[in-house]
C-alpha cells in the first residue's frame, strides 16, 4: 500500500554545463556512484556527450555530462565539442551551471548565456569549496555571482569529497517531472562498454602525457569480444605525427605498457570482469582538424 504522504517519484534529464575543468565529470561520477566519465586535471578531458544515471530512493537524475564550453574554436575538434555541449541542452528539464568557488570569468559568462536561452531552470553549482582558503569570502562571492542572474537554486559543494551532494539532489529533484524511473536501477550510463573502454585508455593519455600531446591523441576500440569470463579488447591510439607516436610508446615501450596496465585495471573495476587489453599506436595526420575523420572516430554522435 502506497503512503499517501510520501513524495512523488521524479525523474528527468539534467544537463551539466560549465567552462572546461570545473569538475563536471567528477560531479557526475559522484552522483552516479560509479566512474562513468573520465577525469584528469587537464581542460577538455571530456569530448563527448555522456549520460550518467543516478538512481536514488526519491528519484532518478539523468545527468548529461558535456565537454566544457570554450571561446576558442581553432580546430574542428573544438567546434565539435562546443556543438556537443550546446546540443546537450535540447530536451533537458534542468541545467546545472558548474563553476569553481571564488572564480567567475568570461567563459563562465559564456556558459551562463548558453543556458539563459534554453528556457530551463538553472541551478548554480559552486564546486571545490574545500579549496577556498578564506571561507568568509564565499558569501560575498555568491552574492556577486547571482546579482543580475536568475538561478533556481545555489548549491556550494565539493564533488571530489562528496560534500553537499544531498543538498544538490534536494534542490534539483523538485524541478523534475513526476514520473517513474526511465532506466533500470542497475544501469549507470547510456554508453556501451566498448565506448567506456576507449575513454579509459584516453584518460591515461590525458594523465600521463605532456601539456599539448593529449589533444593530438584519440582512441579507437578495434575489437571487443567476450571470451567466457574474460573481455578481450584491442585499442588503437591515434596520433598526428611520427614524433608523437614515439612519445606515447616511450623508451622500450615503457610508457605504452604503463598506460595499458592502468587502463586495464580501471576497466576490470568498472566492468567487474577480467580484461585482456592490447594497444597499438598509429599515425593519422591532422585528424583533430578534419570533420570527416572526427565523425569516423565517433565524435559528434
Amino acid at each position: 500500500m502506497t503512503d499517501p504522504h510520501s513524495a512523488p517519484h521524479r525523474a528527468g534529464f539534467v544537463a551539466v554545463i560549465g567552462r572546461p575543468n570545473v569538475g563536471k565529470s567528477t560531479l557526475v561520477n559522484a552522483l552516479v556512484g560509479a566512474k562513468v566519465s573520465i577525469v584528469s586535471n587537464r581542460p577538455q578531458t571530456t569530448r563527448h556527450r555522456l549520460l550518467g544515471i543516478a538512481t536514488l530512493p526519491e528519484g532518478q537524475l539523468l545527468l548529461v555530462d558535456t565537454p566544457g564550453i570554450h571561446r576558442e574554436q581553432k580546430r574542428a575538434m573544438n567546434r565539435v565539442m562546443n556543438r556537443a555541449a550546446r546540443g546537450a541542452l535540447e530536451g533537458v528539464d534542468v541545467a546545472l551551471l558548474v563553476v569553481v568557488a571564488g572564480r567567475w570569468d568570461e567563459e563562465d559568462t559564456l556558459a551562463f548565456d548558453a543556458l539563459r536561452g534554453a528556457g530551463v531552470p538553472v541551478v548554480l553549482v559552486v564546486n571545490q569549496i574545500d579549496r577556498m582558503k578564506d571561507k568568509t569570502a564565499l558569501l560575498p562571492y555568491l552574492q556577486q555571482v547571482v546579482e543580475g542572474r536568475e538561478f533556481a537554486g545555489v548549491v556550494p559543494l565539493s564533488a571530489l569529497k562528496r560534500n553537499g551532494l544531498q543538498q544538490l539532489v534536494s534542490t534539483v529533484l523538485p524541478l523534475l517531472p513526476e514520473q517513474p524511473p526511465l532506466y533500470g536501477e542497475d544501469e549507470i550510463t547510456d554508453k556501451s562498454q566498448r565506448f567506456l573502454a576507449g575513454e579509459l585508455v584516453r584518460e591515461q593519455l590525458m594523465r600521463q602525457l605532456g601539456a599539448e600531446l593529449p589533444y593530438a591523441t584519440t582512441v579507437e576500440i578495434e575489437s571487443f569480444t567476450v571470451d567466457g569470463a574474460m573481455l578481450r579488447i584491442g585499442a588503437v591510439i591515434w596520433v598526428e605525427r611520427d614524433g608523437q607516436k614515439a612519445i606515447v610508446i616511450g623508451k622500450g615501450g615503457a610508457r605504452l605498457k604503463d598506460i595499458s596496465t592502468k587502463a586495464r585495471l580501471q576497466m576490470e573495476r568498472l566492468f567487474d570482469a577480467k580484461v585482456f587489453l592490447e594497444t597499438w599506436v598509429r599515425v593519422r595526420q591532422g585528424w583533430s582538424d578534419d570533420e570527416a575523420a572526427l565523425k569516423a572516430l565517433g565524435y559528434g554522435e
Side-chain angles (χ1 to χ4, degrees):
M1 189 171 174
T2 305
D3 180 357
H5 301 293
S6 66
H9 188 280
R10 294 178 181 271
F13 289 87
V14 181
V16 184
I17 301 289
R19 63 175 170 78
N21 221 28
V22 292
K24 297 184 294 297
S25 296
T26 301
L27 177 62
V28 169
N29 290 341
L31 287 166
V32 172
K35 184 172 186 168
V36 293
S37 197
I38 65 170
V39 291
S40 82
N41 59 6
R42 301 202 184 284
Q44 299 167 34
T45 299
T46 301
R47 290 179 178 172
H48 303 265
R49 174 197 170 283
L50 179 144
L51 190 71
I53 303 162
T55 300
L56 311 160
E58 59 270 48
Q60 191 175 68
L61 307 182
L62 308 176
L63 299 149
V64 186
D65 191 13
T66 61
I69 294 178
H70 46 99
R71 284 170 298 167
E72 293 186 5
Q73 300 193 42
K74 292 178 181 176
R75 297 185 299 174
M77 169 67 81
N78 302 117
R79 294 191 292 275
V80 166
M81 286 163 61
N82 265 0
R83 286 201 298 270
R86 293 176 188 277
L89 294 171
E90 295 174 14
V92 301
D93 302 293
V94 181
L96 306 182
L97 175 59
V98 186
V99 299
V100 171
R103 178 177 170 183
W104 183 284
D105 61 21
E106 288 178 34
E107 288 188 311
D108 295 305
T109 301
L110 185 70
F112 175 77
D113 289 343
L115 290 174
R116 196 167 50 176
V120 296
V122 179
V123 174
L124 178 66
V125 178
V126 182
N127 194 20
Q128 299 179 19
I129 57 167
D130 53 306
R131 294 189 185 179
M132 284 193 88
K133 290 191 174 79
D134 180 9
K135 296 295 189 278
T136 63
L138 182 59
L139 188 57
Y141 163 77
L142 293 176
Q143 290 171 334
Q144 182 185 350
V145 169
V146 301
E147 189 175 349
R149 300 185 178 100
E150 192 175 331
F151 294 107
V154 178
V155 182
L157 53 74
S158 168
L160 188 63
K161 297 199 171 178
R162 303 178 62 85
N163 292 333
L165 295 182
Q166 190 53 53
Q167 186 190 345
L168 178 59
V169 170
S170 300
T171 303
V172 172
L173 271 177
L175 302 171
L176 298 178
E178 291 183 23
Q179 59 182 340
L182 302 174
Y183 285 84
E185 62 178 65
D186 59 337
E187 294 180 89
I188 57 173
T189 182
D190 63 340
K191 294 294 189 183
S192 66
Q193 288 185 323
R194 188 185 190 106
F195 171 87
L196 294 170
E199 287 289 272
L200 289 172
V201 175
R202 194 167 63 79
E203 179 180 54
Q204 292 305 318
L205 294 169
M206 298 295 287
R207 288 178 172 227
Q208 295 197 39
L209 299 177
E212 294 300 323
L213 188 52
Y215 302 104
T217 63
T218 194
V219 178
E220 182 180 18
I221 299 299
E222 265 198 344
S223 61
F224 191 110
T225 57
V226 180
D227 182 5
M230 179 178 284
L231 298 175
R232 294 185 178 274
I233 301 170
V236 177
I237 299 168
W238 290 102
V239 296
E240 297 191 308
R241 297 193 298 275
D242 286 324
Q244 295 167 345
K245 179 178 179 178
I247 293 170
V248 174
I249 292 172
K251 190 173 181 181
R255 176 171 277 136
L256 182 60
K257 184 179 179 182
D258 191 40
I259 288 168
S260 302
T261 299
K262 287 178 177 168
R264 177 180 58 78
L265 292 172
Q266 289 280 2
M267 289 177 201
E268 290 184 339
R269 192 171 297 128
L270 181 60
F271 302 151
D272 194 23
K274 292 297 290 180
V275 172
F276 178 77
L277 174 65
E278 286 186 285
T279 51
W280 302 272
V281 185
R282 296 176 188 157
V283 178
R284 184 170 186 164
Q285 291 187 339
W287 70 264
S288 66
D289 200 22
D290 180 341
E291 296 249 1
L294 287 167
K295 191 170 183 181
L297 289 166
Y299 289 92
E301 291 181 351

